[in-house]
């Protein structure tokens, strides 16, 4: 039985997760690559409070990118998003499995794979008994794309909340506010003035914005290491403004103004970032990086 404090990080054999094998009507094997499966697994572990690192062979990555228009290839932009988030590592060596094996050994990682590692065990000297003790093969990706690993425990303090579910909460709040406004308009016999929103609705919206902001910041700074302010800026904008992460070229030109208006802050981020953080933080000497104090 896995214990939450037994391992420090989840290490994903990404090739194992993204590959999906199916058969056509003539029972021919169809090999597909769906980055969505990896995204779902990352979401699952983050919801459970785990730090996540994934490793993918460069050949698999480039093959998917070059053939992204094929029906058997999913949304390869997910790979880029996970790379920018520091979650996915593209490995150029043919012996890509040894990278995540050694990373797991050095960082006390719990490995997610179905690989039996037969050739690696024959070729490389490692404490393979100890390696096997940190491998979890009891996991599944459903046809719906949902990743499941029933034996994985939740880390202390985890709230089963990812950026994706944060976006859903914000959207639900917006719809609830609209419904309340419509209801009150009907009961009062006239439409509410949009410049004077109901006070209770406004307070509820502000509280949800604050909760979501706290969750985003807490997750980004959980490691205690410095990260660039831009990463925090983009994560907050993606969640609060319902923007596609990593697709900055299609974001509205005024997204910064929209975000600052929603957060009720102004000026440079290096100035107002401390206001929005739910705990003490410190900036680097050049005011470009931030970490939990």
């Amino acid at each position: 039985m896995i214990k939450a404090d037994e391992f420090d990080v989840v290490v994903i054999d990404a090739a194992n997760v993204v590959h999906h094998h199916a058969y056509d009507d003539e029972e021919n094997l169809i090999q597909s690559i769906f980055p969505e499966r990896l995204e779902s697994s990352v979401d699952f572990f983050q919801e459970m409070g785990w730090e996540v690192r994934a490793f993918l062979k460069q050949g698999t990555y480039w093959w998917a990118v070059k053939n992204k228009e094929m029906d058997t290839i999913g949304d390869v932009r997910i790979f880029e998003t996970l790379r920018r988030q520091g979650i996915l590592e593209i490995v150029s060596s043919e012996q890509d499995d040894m990278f995540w094996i050694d990373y797991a050994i050095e960082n006390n990682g719990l490995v997610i794979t179905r690989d039996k590692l037969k050739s690696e065990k024959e070729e490389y000297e490692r404490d393979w008994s100890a390696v096997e003790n940190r491998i979890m093969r009891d996991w599944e990706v459903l046809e719906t794309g949902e990743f499941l690993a029933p034996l994985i425990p939740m880390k202390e303090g985890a709230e089963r909340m990812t950026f994706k579910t944060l976006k859903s909460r914000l959207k639900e709040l917006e719809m609830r506010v609209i419904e309340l406004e419509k209801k009150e308009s009907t009961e009062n016999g006239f439409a509410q003035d949009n410049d004077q929103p109901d006070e209770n609705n406004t307070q509820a919206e502000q509280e949800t914005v604050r909760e979501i902001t706290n969750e985003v910041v807490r997750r980004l700074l959980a490691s205690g290491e410095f990260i660039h302010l831009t990463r925090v800026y983009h994560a907050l904008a993606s969640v609060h403004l319902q923007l596609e992460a990593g697709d900055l070229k299609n974001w509205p030109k005024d997204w910064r103004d929209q975000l600052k208006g929603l957060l009720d802050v102004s000026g440079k981020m290096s100035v107002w970032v401390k206001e929005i953080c739910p705990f003490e933080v410190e900036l680097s000497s050049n005011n470009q990086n931030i970490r939990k104090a």
Side-chain angles (χ1 to χ4, degrees):
M1 184 67 180
I2 297 173
K3 296 180 180 179
D5 59 355
E6 191 174 1
F7 300 98
D8 298 325
V9 59
V10 165
V11 179
I12 301 177
D13 175 6
N16 243 211
V17 174
V18 301
H19 279 100
H20 176 60
H21 296 166
Y23 294 88
D24 60 20
D25 294 338
E26 298 179 355
E27 297 188 355
N28 296 312
L29 179 64
I30 303 173
Q31 295 189 2
S32 306
I33 296 177
F34 287 102
E36 293 87 345
R37 292 163 60 92
L38 179 59
E39 181 181 46
S40 178
S41 67
V42 170
D43 280 347
F44 174 87
F45 288 111
Q46 287 184 335
E47 286 181 352
M48 302 292 279
W50 289 80
E51 180 185 349
V52 186
R53 288 300 303 276
F55 293 80
L56 182 66
K57 190 161 131 178
Q58 189 176 61
T60 302
Y61 167 76
W62 280 118
W63 193 91
V65 170
K66 292 178 180 179
N67 295 279
K68 61 184 179 181
E69 302 302 327
M70 296 175 60
D71 293 338
T72 54
I73 304 297
D75 187 357
V76 296
R77 294 175 300 177
I78 292 172
F79 285 150
E80 290 304 312
T81 298
L82 293 176
R83 289 181 71 182
R84 280 191 291 268
Q85 293 174 350
I87 293 172
L88 178 63
E89 183 76 22
I90 305 299
V91 180
S92 58
S93 172
E94 286 297 316
Q95 299 299 327
D96 59 303
D97 287 349
M98 293 307 301
F99 277 80
W100 52 257
I101 290 170
D102 286 342
Y103 183 90
I105 294 173
E106 294 170 7
N107 295 274
N108 191 29
L110 173 66
V111 175
I112 303 301
T113 186
R114 290 243 175 82
D115 200 325
K116 299 297 183 181
L117 305 174
K118 182 178 179 180
S119 62
E120 286 78 12
K121 291 176 180 178
E122 293 175 350
E123 187 173 353
Y124 296 91
E125 292 186 6
R126 297 291 189 276
D127 185 349
W128 289 110
S129 177
V131 171
E132 280 295 326
N133 288 336
R134 63 176 68 253
I135 292 179
M136 161 65 71
R137 295 188 175 91
D138 187 10
W139 54 269
E140 190 61 68
V141 182
L142 305 182
E143 289 299 322
T144 59
E146 182 181 4
F147 181 91
L148 295 177
L151 298 181
I152 299 296
M154 184 177 290
K155 284 281 191 179
E156 184 177 356
E159 301 175 9
R160 291 198 63 84
M161 184 68 68
T162 63
F163 292 163
K164 185 180 294 185
T165 53
L166 287 172
K167 290 181 181 181
S168 297
R169 283 184 59 186
L170 186 59
K171 192 65 177 179
E172 289 170 1
L173 174 70
E174 293 172 349
M175 296 303 297
R176 188 161 65 248
V177 170
I178 291 173
E179 290 174 359
L180 285 171
E181 289 177 345
K182 287 181 178 179
K183 181 178 179 181
E184 292 183 2
S185 297
T186 301
E187 292 176 350
N188 296 333
F190 58 91
Q192 283 190 357
D193 185 347
N194 289 333
D195 293 330
Q196 296 179 339
D198 180 79
E199 183 176 350
N200 291 334
N201 293 344
T202 302
Q203 290 178 349
E205 184 173 7
Q206 290 174 344
E207 180 62 28
T208 298
V209 168
R210 183 161 48 250
E211 289 179 5
I212 291 175
T213 299
N214 290 350
E215 181 66 18
V216 171
V217 173
R218 183 181 69 79
R219 288 187 176 278
L220 289 174
L221 304 184
S223 68
E225 302 294 327
F226 274 118
I227 68 171
H228 202 279
L229 282 175
T230 300
R231 185 176 168 190
V232 181
Y233 217 157
H234 289 171
L236 288 170
S238 175
V239 172
H240 282 304
L241 304 179
Q242 304 286 294
L243 301 174
E244 183 68 28
D247 192 22
L248 296 178
K249 66 179 182 297
N250 290 320
W251 286 16
K253 293 182 179 180
D254 65 341
W255 68 264
R256 293 178 180 82
D257 293 333
Q258 290 185 41
L259 179 62
K260 288 193 286 187
L262 189 67
L263 299 178
D264 193 24
V265 296
S266 60
K268 294 183 177 180
M269 187 180 186
S270 59
V271 175
W272 55 257
V273 65
K274 294 184 178 181
E275 299 177 17
I276 67 168
C277 289
F279 41 69
E280 291 295 321
V281 296
E282 64 174 309
L283 298 174
S284 59
S285 57
N286 60 5
N287 285 336
Q288 293 184 4
N289 298 282
I290 187 173
R291 70 180 177 187
K292 187 175 182 180

